[in-house]
Amino acid sequence: MEIALLIMQIISCIALIAIIMMQSGKENGLGAIAGNSDNFFGKNKTATKEAKLARITKWVAGAFVLLTLFASMVVTMGA
């Protein structure tokens, strides 16, 4: 059981790192000249690639935290 949890935790860790590396930085639109695009196309950001990556990041990070807690409970009970 411990080995299976460790393998799942490593997979979620690698997936989390890959998903975070695929995201672009938030500093792209922070300049005073570039500004914030509040037009019709800028308001619907739920279907963009960045929004999907942010949503996936939250789920994978949650899974990683839960796997870590569960693995520590299994190791503590076994000792």
Side-chain angles (χ1 to χ4, degrees):
M1 178 104 172
E2 293 177 25
I3 295 173
L5 283 173
L6 180 63
I7 291 171
M8 289 181 357
Q9 190 174 17
I10 289 172
I11 290 171
S12 67
C13 177
I14 292 171
L16 188 61
I17 291 170
I19 291 169
I20 290 173
M21 294 299 289
M22 284 192 290
Q23 294 179 5
S24 65
K26 300 291 183 191
E27 69 273 356
N28 289 342
L30 292 179
I33 296 173
N36 191 4
S37 62
D38 282 338
N39 57 14
F40 176 74
F41 299 109
K43 290 183 180 178
N44 189 12
K45 294 186 178 185
T46 59
T48 63
K49 178 184 170 188
E50 292 298 321
K52 290 178 185 176
L53 284 174
R55 197 173 322 123
I56 293 170
T57 303
K58 291 175 189 175
W59 282 101
V60 174
F64 179 75
V65 168
L66 289 176
L67 282 170
T68 303
L69 291 173
F70 191 62
S72 68
M73 286 175 29
V74 167
V75 170
T76 304
M77 288 181 182

Short mmCIF file of all heavy atoms in Angstrom, two decimals:
data_model
loop_
_atom_site.label_atom_id
_atom_site.label_comp_id
_atom_site.label_asym_id
_atom_site.label_seq_id
_atom_site.Cartn_x
_atom_site.Cartn_y
_atom_site.Cartn_z
N MET A 1 0.83 -1.19 0.00
CA MET A 1 0.00 0.00 0.00
C MET A 1 0.87 1.25 0.00
O MET A 1 0.56 2.21 -0.68
CB MET A 1 -0.91 -0.02 1.22
CG MET A 1 -1.77 1.17 1.36
SD MET A 1 -3.42 0.77 0.89
CE MET A 1 -4.27 2.22 1.35
N GLU A 2 1.95 1.22 0.79
CA GLU A 2 2.83 2.38 0.85
C GLU A 2 3.50 2.64 -0.49
O GLU A 2 3.64 3.79 -0.91
CB GLU A 2 3.89 2.18 1.93
CG GLU A 2 3.33 2.15 3.33
CD GLU A 2 4.40 1.87 4.37
OE1 GLU A 2 5.59 2.15 4.10
OE2 GLU A 2 4.06 1.36 5.44
N ILE A 3 3.88 1.57 -1.17
CA ILE A 3 4.55 1.72 -2.46
C ILE A 3 3.58 2.30 -3.50
O ILE A 3 3.95 3.17 -4.28
CB ILE A 3 5.14 0.38 -2.92
CG1 ILE A 3 6.24 -0.05 -1.97
CG2 ILE A 3 5.68 0.48 -4.35
CD1 ILE A 3 6.79 -1.43 -2.20
N ALA A 4 2.34 1.83 -3.48
CA ALA A 4 1.34 2.35 -4.42
C ALA A 4 1.07 3.83 -4.16
O ALA A 4 0.97 4.63 -5.11
CB ALA A 4 0.05 1.55 -4.31
N LEU A 5 0.97 4.23 -2.90
CA LEU A 5 0.77 5.64 -2.58
C LEU A 5 1.96 6.49 -3.00
O LEU A 5 1.80 7.60 -3.50
CB LEU A 5 0.52 5.80 -1.08
CG LEU A 5 -0.87 5.42 -0.59
CD1 LEU A 5 -0.92 5.47 0.93
CD2 LEU A 5 -1.91 6.34 -1.16
N LEU A 6 3.16 5.95 -2.79
CA LEU A 6 4.36 6.68 -3.18
C LEU A 6 4.42 6.88 -4.69
O LEU A 6 4.75 7.96 -5.17
CB LEU A 6 5.61 5.95 -2.69
CG LEU A 6 6.95 6.60 -3.02
CD1 LEU A 6 7.05 7.96 -2.35
CD2 LEU A 6 8.08 5.70 -2.61
N ILE A 7 4.07 5.85 -5.45
CA ILE A 7 4.07 5.95 -6.91
C ILE A 7 3.03 6.97 -7.38
O ILE A 7 3.30 7.81 -8.25
CB ILE A 7 3.84 4.58 -7.55
CG1 ILE A 7 5.07 3.69 -7.31
CG2 ILE A 7 3.54 4.70 -9.04
CD1 ILE A 7 4.86 2.24 -7.71
N MET A 8 1.84 6.94 -6.79
CA MET A 8 0.79 7.89 -7.16
C MET A 8 1.21 9.32 -6.79
O MET A 8 0.92 10.27 -7.52
CB MET A 8 -0.54 7.53 -6.50
CG MET A 8 -1.14 6.29 -7.08
SD MET A 8 -2.73 5.72 -6.44
CE MET A 8 -3.19 6.76 -5.14
N GLN A 9 1.89 9.48 -5.67
CA GLN A 9 2.35 10.80 -5.25
C GLN A 9 3.43 11.32 -6.19
O GLN A 9 3.42 12.51 -6.54
CB GLN A 9 2.87 10.74 -3.82
CG GLN A 9 3.13 12.10 -3.24
CD GLN A 9 3.52 12.02 -1.78
OE1 GLN A 9 3.89 10.98 -1.27
NE2 GLN A 9 3.44 13.15 -1.10
N ILE A 10 4.33 10.47 -6.63
CA ILE A 10 5.37 10.89 -7.57
C ILE A 10 4.75 11.29 -8.90
O ILE A 10 5.13 12.29 -9.51
CB ILE A 10 6.42 9.77 -7.74
CG1 ILE A 10 7.25 9.64 -6.46
CG2 ILE A 10 7.32 10.05 -8.94
CD1 ILE A 10 8.17 8.46 -6.43
N ILE A 11 3.76 10.52 -9.37
CA ILE A 11 3.09 10.85 -10.63
C ILE A 11 2.37 12.20 -10.51
O ILE A 11 2.45 13.04 -11.41
CB ILE A 11 2.12 9.73 -11.03
CG1 ILE A 11 2.91 8.49 -11.44
CG2 ILE A 11 1.19 10.17 -12.15
CD1 ILE A 11 2.05 7.26 -11.65
N SER A 12 1.67 12.42 -9.39
CA SER A 12 0.98 13.70 -9.23
C SER A 12 1.97 14.85 -9.10
O SER A 12 1.70 15.96 -9.56
CB SER A 12 0.03 13.65 -8.04
OG SER A 12 0.75 13.55 -6.83
N CYS A 13 3.11 14.61 -8.49
CA CYS A 13 4.13 15.64 -8.36
C CYS A 13 4.68 16.03 -9.73
O CYS A 13 4.80 17.21 -10.05
CB CYS A 13 5.26 15.15 -7.46
SG CYS A 13 6.61 16.30 -7.29
N ILE A 14 4.99 15.05 -10.55
CA ILE A 14 5.51 15.32 -11.90
C ILE A 14 4.45 16.03 -12.74
O ILE A 14 4.75 16.97 -13.48
CB ILE A 14 6.00 14.02 -12.55
CG1 ILE A 14 7.24 13.51 -11.81
CG2 ILE A 14 6.31 14.23 -14.03
CD1 ILE A 14 7.69 12.13 -12.21
N ALA A 15 3.19 15.60 -12.62
CA ALA A 15 2.10 16.25 -13.37
C ALA A 15 1.93 17.69 -12.92
O ALA A 15 1.73 18.59 -13.75
CB ALA A 15 0.80 15.47 -13.17
N LEU A 16 2.02 17.94 -11.62
CA LEU A 16 1.87 19.30 -11.10
C LEU A 16 3.00 20.20 -11.61
O LEU A 16 2.75 21.34 -12.03
CB LEU A 16 1.85 19.28 -9.57
CG LEU A 16 1.52 20.57 -8.86
CD1 LEU A 16 0.13 21.06 -9.24
CD2 LEU A 16 1.59 20.37 -7.36
N ILE A 17 4.21 19.70 -11.62
CA ILE A 17 5.34 20.48 -12.13
C ILE A 17 5.15 20.78 -13.61
O ILE A 17 5.36 21.92 -14.06
CB ILE A 17 6.66 19.74 -11.88
CG1 ILE A 17 6.98 19.71 -10.39
CG2 ILE A 17 7.81 20.38 -12.66
CD1 ILE A 17 8.13 18.81 -10.01
N ALA A 18 4.72 19.79 -14.38
CA ALA A 18 4.53 19.99 -15.82
C ALA A 18 3.43 20.99 -16.11
O ALA A 18 3.57 21.87 -16.98
CB ALA A 18 4.21 18.65 -16.49
N ILE A 19 2.33 20.92 -15.36
CA ILE A 19 1.22 21.84 -15.59
C ILE A 19 1.61 23.26 -15.22
O ILE A 19 1.27 24.22 -15.92
CB ILE A 19 -0.02 21.38 -14.78
CG1 ILE A 19 -0.56 20.09 -15.37
CG2 ILE A 19 -1.10 22.45 -14.79
CD1 ILE A 19 -1.60 19.43 -14.50
N ILE A 20 2.35 23.43 -14.14
CA ILE A 20 2.78 24.77 -13.73
C ILE A 20 3.76 25.35 -14.75
O ILE A 20 3.70 26.54 -15.08
CB ILE A 20 3.39 24.74 -12.32
CG1 ILE A 20 2.29 24.48 -11.29
CG2 ILE A 20 4.13 26.04 -12.00
CD1 ILE A 20 2.79 24.27 -9.89
N MET A 21 4.63 24.51 -15.30
CA MET A 21 5.59 24.99 -16.30
C MET A 21 4.92 25.38 -17.61
O MET A 21 5.44 26.21 -18.35
CB MET A 21 6.66 23.93 -16.55
CG MET A 21 7.55 23.66 -15.35
SD MET A 21 8.48 25.09 -14.81
CE MET A 21 9.64 25.22 -16.13
N MET A 22 3.76 24.81 -17.92
CA MET A 22 3.05 25.14 -19.15
C MET A 22 2.34 26.48 -19.06
O MET A 22 2.01 27.08 -20.08
CB MET A 22 2.03 24.05 -19.49
CG MET A 22 2.65 22.81 -20.06
SD MET A 22 1.43 21.70 -20.77
CE MET A 22 0.59 21.11 -19.32
N GLN A 23 2.10 26.98 -17.86
CA GLN A 23 1.37 28.24 -17.69
C GLN A 23 2.30 29.41 -17.99
O GLN A 23 3.48 29.37 -17.68
CB GLN A 23 0.82 28.36 -16.28
CG GLN A 23 -0.25 27.35 -15.98
CD GLN A 23 -0.77 27.47 -14.56
OE1 GLN A 23 -0.41 28.37 -13.83
NE2 GLN A 23 -1.64 26.56 -14.18
N SER A 24 1.72 30.46 -18.56
CA SER A 24 2.52 31.65 -18.81
C SER A 24 2.49 32.52 -17.56
O SER A 24 1.59 32.41 -16.73
CB SER A 24 1.96 32.43 -20.00
OG SER A 24 0.68 32.93 -19.70
N GLY A 25 3.44 33.41 -17.46
CA GLY A 25 3.53 34.27 -16.30
C GLY A 25 2.42 35.30 -16.26
O GLY A 25 1.86 35.69 -17.29
N LYS A 26 2.09 35.77 -15.08
CA LYS A 26 1.04 36.77 -14.92
C LYS A 26 1.55 38.18 -15.22
O LYS A 26 0.77 39.10 -15.30
CB LYS A 26 0.49 36.73 -13.49
CG LYS A 26 -0.10 35.41 -13.11
CD LYS A 26 -1.37 35.15 -13.88
CE LYS A 26 -1.97 33.83 -13.40
NZ LYS A 26 -3.04 33.37 -14.23
N GLU A 27 2.85 38.35 -15.40
CA GLU A 27 3.38 39.68 -15.63
C GLU A 27 3.25 40.13 -17.08
O GLU A 27 3.68 41.22 -17.42
CB GLU A 27 4.86 39.74 -15.21
CG GLU A 27 5.79 38.94 -16.09
CD GLU A 27 5.93 37.49 -15.67
OE1 GLU A 27 5.36 37.09 -14.65
OE2 GLU A 27 6.61 36.75 -16.39
N ASN A 28 2.66 39.32 -17.93
CA ASN A 28 2.54 39.67 -19.35
C ASN A 28 1.70 40.93 -19.57
O ASN A 28 2.00 41.72 -20.44
CB ASN A 28 1.93 38.51 -20.13
CG ASN A 28 2.88 37.35 -20.25
OD1 ASN A 28 4.07 37.50 -20.05
ND2 ASN A 28 2.36 36.19 -20.56
N GLY A 29 0.63 41.14 -18.83
CA GLY A 29 -0.24 42.28 -19.06
C GLY A 29 -0.21 43.31 -17.97
O GLY A 29 -1.16 44.06 -17.81
N LEU A 30 0.87 43.39 -17.21
CA LEU A 30 0.91 44.32 -16.07
C LEU A 30 1.48 45.68 -16.41
O LEU A 30 1.47 46.57 -15.58
CB LEU A 30 1.71 43.70 -14.92
CG LEU A 30 1.09 42.49 -14.24
CD1 LEU A 30 2.01 42.00 -13.14
CD2 LEU A 30 -0.26 42.83 -13.66
N GLY A 31 2.00 45.85 -17.60
CA GLY A 31 2.61 47.12 -17.95
C GLY A 31 1.57 48.24 -18.07
O GLY A 31 0.40 48.02 -18.33
N ALA A 32 2.04 49.48 -17.88
CA ALA A 32 1.14 50.63 -17.96
C ALA A 32 0.68 50.88 -19.39
O ALA A 32 -0.44 51.32 -19.63
CB ALA A 32 1.83 51.87 -17.40
N ILE A 33 1.54 50.57 -20.34
CA ILE A 33 1.20 50.79 -21.75
C ILE A 33 0.30 49.66 -22.26
O ILE A 33 -0.68 49.90 -22.95
CB ILE A 33 2.47 50.90 -22.61
CG1 ILE A 33 3.26 52.12 -22.17
CG2 ILE A 33 2.13 50.98 -24.08
CD1 ILE A 33 4.61 52.24 -22.83
N ALA A 34 0.62 48.44 -21.91
CA ALA A 34 -0.16 47.30 -22.39
C ALA A 34 -1.56 47.33 -21.79
O ALA A 34 -2.55 47.11 -22.48
CB ALA A 34 0.54 45.99 -22.05
N GLY A 35 -1.66 47.58 -20.53
CA GLY A 35 -2.96 47.70 -19.87
C GLY A 35 -3.71 46.39 -19.82
O GLY A 35 -3.19 45.33 -20.12
N ASN A 36 -4.96 46.47 -19.44
CA ASN A 36 -5.81 45.30 -19.32
C ASN A 36 -6.85 45.37 -20.42
O ASN A 36 -7.51 46.38 -20.60
CB ASN A 36 -6.49 45.30 -17.93
CG ASN A 36 -7.17 43.99 -17.66
OD1 ASN A 36 -7.08 43.06 -18.45
ND2 ASN A 36 -7.85 43.92 -16.54
N SER A 37 -7.01 44.31 -21.17
CA SER A 37 -7.97 44.31 -22.28
C SER A 37 -9.35 43.95 -21.74
O SER A 37 -9.68 42.79 -21.57
CB SER A 37 -7.54 43.33 -23.37
OG SER A 37 -7.50 42.03 -22.85
N ASP A 38 -10.17 44.96 -21.50
CA ASP A 38 -11.53 44.74 -21.01
C ASP A 38 -12.54 44.87 -22.14
O ASP A 38 -13.58 45.49 -21.98
CB ASP A 38 -11.86 45.75 -19.90
CG ASP A 38 -11.25 45.37 -18.59
OD1 ASP A 38 -10.94 44.17 -18.42
OD2 ASP A 38 -11.08 46.25 -17.73
N ASN A 39 -12.22 44.30 -23.27
CA ASN A 39 -13.18 44.33 -24.35
C ASN A 39 -14.03 43.05 -24.31
O ASN A 39 -13.95 42.27 -23.38
CB ASN A 39 -12.48 44.48 -25.70
CG ASN A 39 -11.47 43.40 -25.93
OD1 ASN A 39 -11.45 42.39 -25.23
ND2 ASN A 39 -10.61 43.59 -26.92
N PHE A 40 -14.82 42.85 -25.33
CA PHE A 40 -15.72 41.71 -25.36
C PHE A 40 -14.97 40.39 -25.31
O PHE A 40 -15.37 39.45 -24.66
CB PHE A 40 -16.59 41.78 -26.63
CG PHE A 40 -17.49 40.60 -26.79
CD1 PHE A 40 -18.62 40.46 -25.99
CD2 PHE A 40 -17.22 39.61 -27.72
CE1 PHE A 40 -19.45 39.38 -26.13
CE2 PHE A 40 -18.04 38.53 -27.87
CZ PHE A 40 -19.17 38.41 -27.08
N PHE A 41 -13.86 40.32 -26.03
CA PHE A 41 -13.11 39.06 -26.10
C PHE A 41 -12.30 38.81 -24.83
O PHE A 41 -11.98 37.68 -24.52
CB PHE A 41 -12.19 39.08 -27.32
CG PHE A 41 -12.93 39.22 -28.61
CD1 PHE A 41 -12.87 40.38 -29.33
CD2 PHE A 41 -13.70 38.17 -29.08
CE1 PHE A 41 -13.57 40.51 -30.52
CE2 PHE A 41 -14.41 38.29 -30.27
CZ PHE A 41 -14.34 39.46 -31.00
N GLY A 42 -11.94 39.84 -24.10
CA GLY A 42 -11.14 39.67 -22.89
C GLY A 42 -11.95 39.25 -21.68
O GLY A 42 -11.40 38.76 -20.70
N LYS A 43 -13.27 39.43 -21.72
CA LYS A 43 -14.09 39.12 -20.55
C LYS A 43 -14.40 37.64 -20.42
O LYS A 43 -14.61 37.14 -19.33
CB LYS A 43 -15.39 39.92 -20.60
CG LYS A 43 -15.17 41.39 -20.38
CD LYS A 43 -16.46 42.15 -20.37
CE LYS A 43 -16.19 43.63 -20.15
NZ LYS A 43 -17.41 44.42 -20.18
N ASN A 44 -14.46 36.90 -21.51
CA ASN A 44 -14.81 35.48 -21.47
C ASN A 44 -13.53 34.66 -21.41
O ASN A 44 -13.09 34.10 -22.40
CB ASN A 44 -15.64 35.10 -22.70
CG ASN A 44 -16.20 33.71 -22.58
OD1 ASN A 44 -16.16 33.11 -21.52
ND2 ASN A 44 -16.71 33.19 -23.67
N LYS A 45 -12.96 34.57 -20.23
CA LYS A 45 -11.68 33.87 -20.08
C LYS A 45 -11.83 32.48 -19.50
O LYS A 45 -10.86 31.84 -19.17
CB LYS A 45 -10.74 34.70 -19.20
CG LYS A 45 -10.35 35.99 -19.85
CD LYS A 45 -9.31 36.71 -19.04
CE LYS A 45 -8.91 37.99 -19.74
NZ LYS A 45 -7.82 38.66 -19.07
N THR A 46 -13.05 31.99 -19.37
CA THR A 46 -13.24 30.66 -18.79
C THR A 46 -12.90 29.55 -19.78
O THR A 46 -12.63 28.44 -19.37
CB THR A 46 -14.68 30.48 -18.30
OG1 THR A 46 -15.57 30.67 -19.40
CG2 THR A 46 -14.99 31.46 -17.19
N ALA A 47 -12.91 29.85 -21.06
CA ALA A 47 -12.66 28.82 -22.07
C ALA A 47 -11.24 28.87 -22.61
O ALA A 47 -10.91 28.12 -23.51
CB ALA A 47 -13.66 28.97 -23.22
N THR A 48 -10.40 29.72 -22.07
CA THR A 48 -9.04 29.84 -22.59
C THR A 48 -8.16 28.72 -22.05
O THR A 48 -8.49 28.03 -21.09
CB THR A 48 -8.42 31.20 -22.21
OG1 THR A 48 -8.32 31.27 -20.79
CG2 THR A 48 -9.24 32.35 -22.75
N LYS A 49 -7.03 28.57 -22.70
CA LYS A 49 -6.06 27.55 -22.28
C LYS A 49 -5.55 27.83 -20.87
O LYS A 49 -5.39 26.91 -20.06
CB LYS A 49 -4.91 27.52 -23.27
CG LYS A 49 -3.83 26.55 -22.93
CD LYS A 49 -2.68 26.65 -23.90
CE LYS A 49 -1.51 25.85 -23.41
NZ LYS A 49 -0.31 26.07 -24.21
N GLU A 50 -5.31 29.11 -20.57
CA GLU A 50 -4.80 29.47 -19.24
C GLU A 50 -5.81 29.15 -18.14
O GLU A 50 -5.43 28.70 -17.06
CB GLU A 50 -4.43 30.95 -19.21
CG GLU A 50 -3.25 31.31 -20.07
CD GLU A 50 -1.98 30.61 -19.63
OE1 GLU A 50 -1.77 30.47 -18.41
OE2 GLU A 50 -1.22 30.18 -20.50
N ALA A 51 -7.08 29.37 -18.40
CA ALA A 51 -8.11 29.08 -17.39
C ALA A 51 -8.21 27.58 -17.17
O ALA A 51 -8.37 27.13 -16.03
CB ALA A 51 -9.45 29.64 -17.83
N LYS A 52 -8.10 26.81 -18.25
CA LYS A 52 -8.15 25.35 -18.10
C LYS A 52 -6.94 24.84 -17.33
O LYS A 52 -7.07 23.96 -16.47
CB LYS A 52 -8.23 24.69 -19.47
CG LYS A 52 -9.55 24.90 -20.16
CD LYS A 52 -9.57 24.28 -21.53
CE LYS A 52 -10.87 24.60 -22.25
NZ LYS A 52 -10.88 24.09 -23.62
N LEU A 53 -5.76 25.39 -17.63
CA LEU A 53 -4.56 24.98 -16.91
C LEU A 53 -4.64 25.36 -15.43
O LEU A 53 -4.21 24.60 -14.56
CB LEU A 53 -3.32 25.60 -17.54
CG LEU A 53 -2.85 24.97 -18.85
CD1 LEU A 53 -1.70 25.77 -19.43
CD2 LEU A 53 -2.43 23.53 -18.64
N ALA A 54 -5.21 26.52 -15.14
CA ALA A 54 -5.36 26.95 -13.74
C ALA A 54 -6.31 26.01 -13.00
O ALA A 54 -6.07 25.64 -11.85
CB ALA A 54 -5.86 28.38 -13.67
N ARG A 55 -7.40 25.62 -13.66
CA ARG A 55 -8.36 24.70 -13.03
C ARG A 55 -7.73 23.32 -12.81
O ARG A 55 -7.89 22.72 -11.74
CB ARG A 55 -9.59 24.59 -13.94
CG ARG A 55 -10.79 24.02 -13.24
CD ARG A 55 -12.05 24.06 -14.10
NE ARG A 55 -12.16 25.27 -14.92
CZ ARG A 55 -12.28 25.27 -16.25
NH1 ARG A 55 -12.31 24.13 -16.91
NH2 ARG A 55 -12.37 26.40 -16.91
N ILE A 56 -6.99 22.83 -13.80
CA ILE A 56 -6.33 21.53 -13.65
C ILE A 56 -5.28 21.59 -12.55
O ILE A 56 -5.11 20.63 -11.79
CB ILE A 56 -5.72 21.09 -15.00
CG1 ILE A 56 -6.83 20.80 -16.01
CG2 ILE A 56 -4.83 19.88 -14.84
CD1 ILE A 56 -6.34 20.59 -17.43
N THR A 57 -4.57 22.71 -12.45
CA THR A 57 -3.56 22.88 -11.41
C THR A 57 -4.17 22.75 -10.02
O THR A 57 -3.60 22.11 -9.13
CB THR A 57 -2.86 24.24 -11.55
OG1 THR A 57 -2.30 24.34 -12.85
CG2 THR A 57 -1.77 24.41 -10.52
N LYS A 58 -5.34 23.35 -9.84
CA LYS A 58 -6.01 23.27 -8.53
C LYS A 58 -6.37 21.84 -8.19
O LYS A 58 -6.19 21.39 -7.05
CB LYS A 58 -7.26 24.14 -8.53
CG LYS A 58 -6.96 25.61 -8.58
CD LYS A 58 -8.23 26.42 -8.69
CE LYS A 58 -7.91 27.88 -8.95
NZ LYS A 58 -9.12 28.67 -9.18
N TRP A 59 -6.88 21.09 -9.15
CA TRP A 59 -7.27 19.70 -8.89
C TRP A 59 -6.07 18.80 -8.62
O TRP A 59 -6.09 17.97 -7.71
CB TRP A 59 -8.09 19.15 -10.05
CG TRP A 59 -9.50 19.64 -10.03
CD1 TRP A 59 -10.04 20.64 -10.78
CD2 TRP A 59 -10.55 19.17 -9.18
NE1 TRP A 59 -11.36 20.81 -10.45
CE2 TRP A 59 -11.70 19.92 -9.48
CE3 TRP A 59 -10.63 18.18 -8.21
CZ2 TRP A 59 -12.92 19.71 -8.83
CZ3 TRP A 59 -11.83 17.98 -7.58
CH2 TRP A 59 -12.96 18.73 -7.88
N VAL A 60 -5.02 18.96 -9.41
CA VAL A 60 -3.83 18.12 -9.22
C VAL A 60 -3.13 18.48 -7.90
O VAL A 60 -2.65 17.59 -7.19
CB VAL A 60 -2.87 18.25 -10.42
CG1 VAL A 60 -1.57 17.52 -10.18
CG2 VAL A 60 -3.53 17.71 -11.67
N ALA A 61 -3.09 19.76 -7.55
CA ALA A 61 -2.50 20.17 -6.28
C ALA A 61 -3.30 19.61 -5.11
O ALA A 61 -2.73 19.16 -4.11
CB ALA A 61 -2.41 21.68 -6.19
N GLY A 62 -4.62 19.63 -5.22
CA GLY A 62 -5.47 19.04 -4.18
C GLY A 62 -5.24 17.55 -4.03
O GLY A 62 -5.16 17.02 -2.92
N ALA A 63 -5.12 16.87 -5.16
CA ALA A 63 -4.84 15.43 -5.13
C ALA A 63 -3.48 15.16 -4.49
O ALA A 63 -3.32 14.21 -3.71
CB ALA A 63 -4.90 14.84 -6.53
N PHE A 64 -2.49 16.00 -4.80
CA PHE A 64 -1.15 15.83 -4.22
C PHE A 64 -1.19 16.01 -2.71
O PHE A 64 -0.58 15.23 -1.97
CB PHE A 64 -0.18 16.82 -4.86
CG PHE A 64 1.20 16.74 -4.30
CD1 PHE A 64 2.05 15.70 -4.65
CD2 PHE A 64 1.68 17.70 -3.42
CE1 PHE A 64 3.33 15.62 -4.13
CE2 PHE A 64 2.94 17.63 -2.90
CZ PHE A 64 3.78 16.58 -3.25
N VAL A 65 -1.92 17.01 -2.24
CA VAL A 65 -2.02 17.25 -0.79
C VAL A 65 -2.72 16.09 -0.11
O VAL A 65 -2.27 15.60 0.94
CB VAL A 65 -2.74 18.59 -0.51
CG1 VAL A 65 -3.11 18.73 0.95
CG2 VAL A 65 -1.88 19.75 -0.95
N LEU A 66 -3.82 15.62 -0.69
CA LEU A 66 -4.54 14.49 -0.10
C LEU A 66 -3.70 13.22 -0.09
O LEU A 66 -3.72 12.46 0.89
CB LEU A 66 -5.86 14.26 -0.83
CG LEU A 66 -6.93 15.32 -0.60
CD1 LEU A 66 -8.15 15.03 -1.47
CD2 LEU A 66 -7.31 15.39 0.86
N LEU A 67 -2.98 12.96 -1.17
CA LEU A 67 -2.10 11.79 -1.21
C LEU A 67 -1.00 11.90 -0.15
O LEU A 67 -0.66 10.89 0.49
CB LEU A 67 -1.47 11.64 -2.60
CG LEU A 67 -2.36 11.03 -3.66
CD1 LEU A 67 -1.70 11.18 -5.03
CD2 LEU A 67 -2.62 9.56 -3.36
N THR A 68 -0.47 13.09 0.04
CA THR A 68 0.57 13.28 1.05
C THR A 68 0.02 13.02 2.45
O THR A 68 0.66 12.33 3.26
CB THR A 68 1.14 14.70 0.96
OG1 THR A 68 1.65 14.91 -0.37
CG2 THR A 68 2.25 14.91 1.96
N LEU A 69 -1.16 13.56 2.74
CA LEU A 69 -1.76 13.33 4.05
C LEU A 69 -2.09 11.86 4.28
O LEU A 69 -1.83 11.30 5.35
CB LEU A 69 -3.02 14.19 4.21
CG LEU A 69 -2.80 15.68 4.31
CD1 LEU A 69 -4.13 16.42 4.29
CD2 LEU A 69 -2.01 16.02 5.57
N PHE A 70 -2.66 11.22 3.27
CA PHE A 70 -3.01 9.81 3.39
C PHE A 70 -1.77 8.94 3.54
O PHE A 70 -1.77 8.00 4.34
CB PHE A 70 -3.85 9.38 2.18
CG PHE A 70 -4.47 8.03 2.34
CD1 PHE A 70 -5.38 7.78 3.34
CD2 PHE A 70 -4.14 7.00 1.47
CE1 PHE A 70 -5.96 6.53 3.49
CE2 PHE A 70 -4.70 5.76 1.61
CZ PHE A 70 -5.62 5.51 2.62
N ALA A 71 -0.72 9.26 2.79
CA ALA A 71 0.52 8.48 2.89
C ALA A 71 1.15 8.64 4.28
O ALA A 71 1.66 7.67 4.85
CB ALA A 71 1.51 8.91 1.82
N SER A 72 1.10 9.84 4.83
CA SER A 72 1.68 10.03 6.16
C SER A 72 0.86 9.29 7.22
O SER A 72 1.40 8.78 8.19
CB SER A 72 1.77 11.52 6.50
OG SER A 72 0.50 12.07 6.67
N MET A 73 -0.46 9.24 7.03
CA MET A 73 -1.29 8.48 7.97
C MET A 73 -1.00 6.98 7.90
O MET A 73 -0.93 6.30 8.93
CB MET A 73 -2.78 8.74 7.69
CG MET A 73 -3.25 10.09 8.12
SD MET A 73 -4.95 10.53 7.69
CE MET A 73 -5.81 9.03 7.64
N VAL A 74 -0.81 6.47 6.69
CA VAL A 74 -0.52 5.04 6.51
C VAL A 74 0.83 4.70 7.12
O VAL A 74 0.97 3.68 7.81
CB VAL A 74 -0.59 4.65 5.03
CG1 VAL A 74 -0.01 3.28 4.77
CG2 VAL A 74 -2.02 4.73 4.52
N VAL A 75 1.82 5.55 6.90
CA VAL A 75 3.16 5.29 7.45
C VAL A 75 3.13 5.38 8.97
O VAL A 75 3.76 4.58 9.66
CB VAL A 75 4.19 6.28 6.83
CG1 VAL A 75 5.51 6.19 7.56
CG2 VAL A 75 4.37 5.98 5.36
N THR A 76 2.40 6.35 9.51
CA THR A 76 2.33 6.52 10.97
C THR A 76 1.63 5.34 11.63
O THR A 76 2.04 4.87 12.68
CB THR A 76 1.58 7.83 11.32
OG1 THR A 76 2.24 8.90 10.66
CG2 THR A 76 1.60 8.07 12.80
N MET A 77 0.57 4.84 11.01
CA MET A 77 -0.14 3.69 11.58
C MET A 77 0.66 2.41 11.50
O MET A 77 0.53 1.54 12.34
CB MET A 77 -1.49 3.51 10.87
CG MET A 77 -2.50 4.55 11.20
SD MET A 77 -4.02 4.20 10.31
CE MET A 77 -5.01 5.55 10.81
N GLY A 78 1.49 2.31 10.47
CA GLY A 78 2.28 1.10 10.29
C GLY A 78 3.49 1.03 11.21
O GLY A 78 4.02 -0.03 11.50
N ALA A 79 3.95 2.18 11.71
CA ALA A 79 5.15 2.18 12.55
C ALA A 79 4.86 1.82 13.98
O ALA A 79 3.88 1.71 14.54
CB ALA A 79 5.80 3.56 12.50
#
